[in-house]
Amino acid sequence: MYVELHARSAFSFLEGASLPERLMARCAELQMPAMALLDRNGLYGAPRFHITAEKAGTRAHIGAEIAVTAAGQKVGPPEWVPHRVPSEPVRFPLLVESAIGYQNLCRLITRYKLREETKAEGAATLTDIQEHAEGLICLTGGEEGPLASALLRGGFDEGRSEVQRLVNLFGHRNVYVELQRHCDRTEEHRNQAAVRIASSLKLPLLATNGVNYATAYEREVMDVLTSIRHHCPLDAAGQLLSRNAERHLRLPHEMQQLFRDLPGAISNTTELSARLIYKMSDLGYRFPNYSVPDGGTKQAFLEKRVEEGLRQRYLPKRDPQLYEKAQRQARRELALIGQLELAGYFLIVWDIVQFCGREGILVQGRGSAANSVVCYALGITAIDPVGMELLFERFLTAERGEWPDIDLDLPSGDRRERVIQHVYQRYGELGAAMTANVITYRGKSAAREAGKSLGFDAETLDRLTKLVGAWEWKGPTDTLDASFRTAGFDTEHRRIAKYLEICERMQDIPRHLGQHSGGMVICAGQLNAVVPLERASMPGRTVIQWDKEDCADMRIIKVDLLGLGMMAVLEECLDLVPRHYKEPLDLGQLPHNDAQVYRTLQNADTVGMFQIESRAQMSALPRNRPVCFYDLVVQVAIIRPGPIVGKMMNPYMKRRQGKEAVSYAHPLLEPVLKRTLGVPLFQEQLIRMSMIVANFSGDEAEQLRRAMGMRRSQARMRELEVKLRQGMTQNGIHSDAQEQIIQSIQSFALYGFPESHAASFALIAYASAYLKCHYLAAFTAAMLNNQPMGFYSPSTLVKDAQLHGLRVKPIDVQRSDWLCTLETERDSGPTRFALRLGLLYARGLRREVGEALVQARNNRAFESIQDLTLRVPELRKKDLTMLAKIGALNWLGENIHRRDALWQVEYAGRPTGPLLSQMPEQDQASPLARMTVDERLVADFQGTGVTVGPHPMAYHRAALSRMGIVCSSHLRNLENGRETRIAGCVIARQRPGTAKGFVFLSLEDETGISNAIVTPAVYEQYRRVVTYGKFLLVEGKLQNQENVISVKADVVRPLEISEIDVRSHDFH
Amino acid sequence: MPAPLYLSLHALDFAAQSLVRLRPELRNRPVVILDGDPPLETIFALNDRSRSLGLEAGMSRLQAESFDGLALCPRVREQEESAFTTIMKCGEKFSPRIEVLASPEESSSGATLVLDVSASERLLGTPEQVAILLRRNIDIAGVEVSIATSSNAYAAILAARGFRGITIIPPGQESRTLARLPLTVLELEPEHQETFTAWGIKTLGALAVLPENALIARIGQAGYRLQALSRGEFQHLLVPVEPSVDAILSESTELEHPVDLLEPLLFLLGRMLEQIIVRAAEHTLAIAYVETRLILEGAPRREHRRVVRPALPEANHHTLLKLIQLDLEMHPPQAAVIGLYMLAQPARPQTGQQELFVPQTPESGQLEILLARLRKLLGEDRLGSPELIDSHRPDAFRLVPFAPHADAASLATGGGIHTSALRMFRPPQVVRVEMKSSRIITLFLDGKKLPVHKASGPWKTSGAWWTNSSWCREEWDVTLGEHKSLCCRVAFDPGASCWYLVGIYD
């Protein structure tokens, strides 16, 4: 019997070609009882390796190859070869024997990784090794190991003393002399020396195969990865590539045959495997203890906070029944929390929320946490789960054996960073870290890297990667092979054929480790004993070596601190509204039945509103006609791939409009589905349905949801389905109704949306709608200040605000701040506000320069362009030219137009010495003519991306009308089915995965937005125009049904009206 | 002194025109010329008809193919050269002083020439007559050009670029005539283009009227130059085209009778070579290589082309001739010769001083002749210095031209301790092998059966799997013979299913 004890996976980043799961699966296929994974400088792949082993019934030994600085350099290619390979320290292959060993290994890796100031491989010192050697077994390694390096350096004697050093570090019992046989003469010479050294030091021999991939076939991928690693194409890689394809997992009897002269080396593998008792299920992870200030228990402290919170949340509602119901629910939840000992977890999240409150940072929990009244009472979430009858079991059940998941939405940018830094400070550098995000090779990256490796030139690569289908929808012709043929490549040619094959095989191979957008892991004691930590590319951040899914699998709890642009907008409004409108604004107390808001929603006038502004949402809003908050919850949830693919949207809409009777598969389901008119839309409904019709417990119901949500758990799903049917039979549900229920559960289990999540989002959506309706200037300013976000470009936001009566003023160096600001209009009547564009919209102007300009102006207004250049020396000539072009300097003198400013700027920005720089020009009169309207528009879009003047289409309206083009606001007056021509600048293009190749275009003119639908056939005909055109003319039949208006395109033509560089949001 | 007079001609879309002149059926069709490696060609040049369809230079073939009725033609440089030579020849009839401002090789937009036709009025007629005559001449050759004349060379050039047909600029009318032209004719630097676009300056007239001092204060001396150009006042120093040194280093002769013996040919070649060497020496140049083309008798007309390339530039007539002789002896023409053509490539002569304490190396010319003799004796591909190839492929080396290593002496003595050496068989000997339980037990060599006492291996190598020349090999080191004295390397090629004796260890 043989156990492979030295294997690298693809998590050795470009030094292994198979995923850990694949390696372990192959190990099981070869009937090997165990296997060890030793990735380079980390335990990146260990969780997956461990989980796969558990499933396969094999044992996963954990370890890592640790780079050590003082042990020499890794053996490289011969000196005469042309490559300059950077020298790398040798790596000690270390295997974990016990839990202490695991902790030591994690600490060791963390120690040297965090010693680096930035993200880097790093290397341990011998002292580090010495301090963390307990519980670890050291092998002498293959060509990357210390013995090979020592033998090359100084022959047998040096090799022997190196091994002796390992013995001194790890102890005589814990060093194995490793032998690998890859049919290579040089290696065999080393082996001969190693055998003699082992014999002289009385150390055991250990056969391994230094595995880099699961099967010999994967050697090709390995070679490509090697060439990528060394930035050198395969044709030139020479001896950097592997000599042969022998580094794969071998059958035990093959290994026995290979080491027939040294049987002890084989038998030692099983013996050592037996010694490695550590299993990763024993991670020793604990969530931090929340220290209760008054010395009581955490549970009591939590209960007290919840009680206070309930009073605060419910008493103002003046509904004693609701309050009592909430108290009952809270008692039930607290009992479960007590039983699961989760009080500390809730308190820690509460602590973060408290911090945000103290710092004035807006925070709101999302996801399933909104099902919990405890979370609501603690201020973690803003949705009343009792009032909304949300299902707690979706959040937490006793049997699930899994931590609850709380996600917090924070304003994106600096404020979120402050919260993250607070968590770091609170729990220490070794107590908290971000979860990783494993970046893997995907279509484009694989195509690019493999292409480089196979020697395609840069231009070819650019074109090829562009050819890799960019749209979301993948039509039957959107394959790599088809793209190649289109580009004129012969896919039969070996190199091309191999390229295609390699691109496919590289998919999902890890490329590097990134940082998750917001997942933070917190640990009691030291997190670095649970998982290695390393530096992130971002300063001040550390990441653990596992991603979000791995953490969940390993039962490590994380809190998601997610950045949400709209939260930043809301937060900014909280400042702008009281400051300018002199009205208090409390987002928690917004009137939830505001008629203006619902009227706006019903008219789909939702540009800029959170989650309900997309084209699809806009086309659904007039059909849904929301009249209360719950309608908005449904609205947020219904335009999702789930309900659309599950064909739930149309039945719901029909019932909503009274065109279809509300019916239920069984009367028992009525209470569950009543709110959604008999159509299941939410995950909570699935859970409730199974609880009601089949008497499932909350946990079983949650398991059913999960099993159905994962295609992989088919066995578990069948099991639960049987139980579901049994339960339904017991409840006397007829078999037809049973089928119908199961079908409806199955059809949306894959894509269903949690009601609590939808409610949390709907709350933000409502707040954004309310602010837009009542405080348009403040809302638009905040939206413009927090770009990029949402569905539309700033230009569309500005045009939409103008259509709603807001005056938007251009950038003016005499008035603009860095951010967009509000200005009070001085005309008679009620106070009106105008929006002043901020300097941040001047393209290319750096923030520090903009702020320096504002500071100089705050001291004293600028007198002239020369005054500006002298007082703000940070302004480069390029900045001045750009400011002049966009008209921002027009107020630096009397009757200055943009060209005057450009003429002066060119003089002021000329390279000159200090003596002449202050000398004004004798004759400042500019000989240049004013910009024409079109020139101004071009300059506005080039320089700011927006124009505050009329829409470009407005200047051509007369001509467009002569061409029979209807403006968007008139479309609603035309009858359905009429041949229509529309035109506008493209502000969004979509080819959603659910739309079977249809393309949706949003065209903007001076009166609003019109929509066009392009069928796949028409798209093929006008592919180029549809994909790249900036101003388009669309001809086709008008579809005007239930206030949902669009034109089904028959012809799409470019409209040559301006050279404006309008930028559309294309969703590929 | 008579007033100067310059005539400029500009052939727009020259590459397209040079194609259409040979393919008149394309005259009324949109044509684009594609350049680059297939399938990644881009549009290099195009005619007016394709431009009006929306095509532009730089578009990819794929983009061009989406236009209906378009003639996509590959770029043929020879056609362009030939058309350009025709224009030059036409120009030479009017003036020996011609400057090429944009050759087809450099510019995709067109070819521009300027001719100095000063003081030729009596000989050729008025400027208008000259222009008409020249245009007619070039028209006959199938190329359409715009012509302009002016006493200012640049004014003529800009007018030829900007106006179609013939433009005669009377003296003093330069600024007025040029005023309508777009700024693009000036071929501005991107930064100036950007500035003028921002200023809204679109024509030469608009540029000409800007206040001069203010303009110079803003964009420096370039402003002065551009404004002078736009006013037709910038003076031009004509640099006429002269034949290059490369062009004079060629000789040709036609023979009265076919010659099939080498000796008389060498006599003639020697004289030609002598002429070339003398001309090169006048420019203090040596010869980097000599190309000899022997025109052979018989139809169709055939050429026997040989190139002699010494390691260092050579100026010695005897050495070069000897090298040509040895080369022709190795590669004799297959028919009698009726004409000779010789072309040499000049290079700077190699100079250097040898060190005092370094042994004298052979004189380079002598060494060259020796090597040529050896090549003749051994074969072309059997002489040179071996160079290792960076590959795991067994016995991977290539022959490179002989060049002694600068540190050859140290290499010979250094290099570490080797206890054995492998003597390789090239080519390897095919053998038969008997195996048992994946072990070699017997080797059959030259009809002898040799028992294998000990074998180590297989040592496996494989690679280049991404090419059509992928390889795979397994090697064994074996001891053979009764006295176990023969230690050798055998290899198995799985691709050919064949065993080889690769070499013997000392």
Side-chain angles (χ1 to χ4, degrees), chain A residues 17-36:
Chain A
S18 301
L19 290 169
E21 304 92 301
R22 170 89 186 97
L23 284 172
M24 186 43 92
R26 179 72 182 152
C27 161
E29 274 169 35
L30 299 179
Q31 297 188 327
M32 232 185 271
M35 181 181 164

Side-chain angles (χ1 to χ4, degrees), chain A residues 83 183 185 219-220 223 235 238-239 241 243-244 246 260 460 487 494 899 902-903 907 921 935 1024, chain B residues 39-40 63 198-200 202 214 217-218 390 392 439 458-462 465-468 475 477 489:
Chain A
H83 310 292
C183 302
R185 282 190 188 84
R219 174 262 177 110
E220 295 178 357
D223 277 353
D235 289 317
Q239 297 195 45
L241 303 180
R243 180 179 287 274
N244 53 38
E246 300 297 307
R260 59 184 177 270
T460 316
R494 185 170 176 87
R899 288 256 165 76
L902 277 164
W903 184 251
Y907 183 80
E921 195 175 17
E935 283 172 339
R1024 188 174 159 71
Chain B
L40 303 175
Q63 288 169 318
W199 287 358
K202 290 173 186 162
R218 280 161 178 80
D390 177 21
H392 289 301
R439 291 181 194 188
W459 314 117
K460 296 185 184 177
T461 49
S462 59
W465 48 264
W466 61 94
T467 66
N468 288 327
E475 291 178 349
D477 296 316
R489 180 180 289 186

